Amino acid sequence: MSYTGPDFDPPKPRRSRRTPLLVALAALVSGGLLGWAVYAAMGAPGDGGTTAGAPAAPSGSTSASARDDGKKATPSASGPAAASPSPSGSPDAASGPLKGRVVVIDPGHNPGNFEHTAAINRPVDIGTNSKECDTTGTSTNSGYAEARFTLDVAHRLRDLLQQQGATVKLTQDGDRPYGPCVDERARIGNTAHADAVVSIHADGAAAGNRGFHVILPASVHAGAADTRPIVGPSRELGERIAGSFVRVTGSAPSNYIGDGTGLVTRRDLGGLNLSTVPKVFIECGNMRDSKDAALLTSGAWRQKAAQGISEGIVSFLRG
């Protein structure tokens, strides 16, 4: 974000007689003020994003599961709001290195899920078995909801990828009352014939558990699910995102899952089981740990998270 400061108009020279010294001094002052006006108009660098109070949500308990498509929790208070949706990429983006590539970003959960619990609790087929349509997600102890975090990072990631020339689609943009369900999220990526899909989340594990992890699809062949063709490319996508995430954010891989690799393979997530294109999930940190929460609620850190994910996707797509 750039900041526009006060505008200054260079003082108009008087028509009275001046000594050479006074004329030179006036010119120096005018030049200095003009330089400040140019600097102010260009703007000083920001922190990569702002945080503000989000609409308050009903209070409730926050039991969380790190083993689910979505962590069940109810936001209890206001927290930093998601960044506003960004405009489409600039005309020059169409000629970027990712021209012709399609990326689908899946912001986990939906800010409105907690108001539609009956709808999101209905079971859907995920290939291996049935599972809830979606869940509310978790939140920090101060009430910053995972659904708002995921939308904020998704908007930042979309901007970065569009600048590289990619066509970017979101599975939801806070523009529907709830969901979509996990099976529909998979279909959106499949229908778009995406070259890569990334589902963005933040975990809700116990305090003291820190770090990020990337979830990869296991080889599943059951019912409507057949991940065998995407296991290999999805692993490559996940490995590249994990490497970039460490480098850009400085965050360490999870200390509680993945054996320090930052990579976890699962067969119980409908969003992965039903995908026919390369797809991974990333849990960017643990919202229930105070140190991780301090990062997740920082606009500057969320920009780094988006940059790390973006660089991993670009690396994967460029080979």
Side-chain angles (χ1 to χ4, degrees), residues 283-302:
E283 299 278 2
C284 296
N286 178 19
M287 300 196 96
R288 289 302 185 177
D289 177 81
S290 60
K291 293 180 179 178
D292 269 11
L295 300 176
L296 298 167
T297 55
S298 162
W301 189 88
R302 292 196 299 272

Side-chain angles (χ1 to χ4, degrees), residues 230-252:
I230 68 165
V231 167
S234 295
R235 173 167 283 276
E236 181 182 354
L237 172 63
E239 289 174 346
R240 290 181 184 252
I241 288 176
S244 297
F245 203 82
V246 169
R247 185 180 67 253
V248 176
T249 67
S251 294

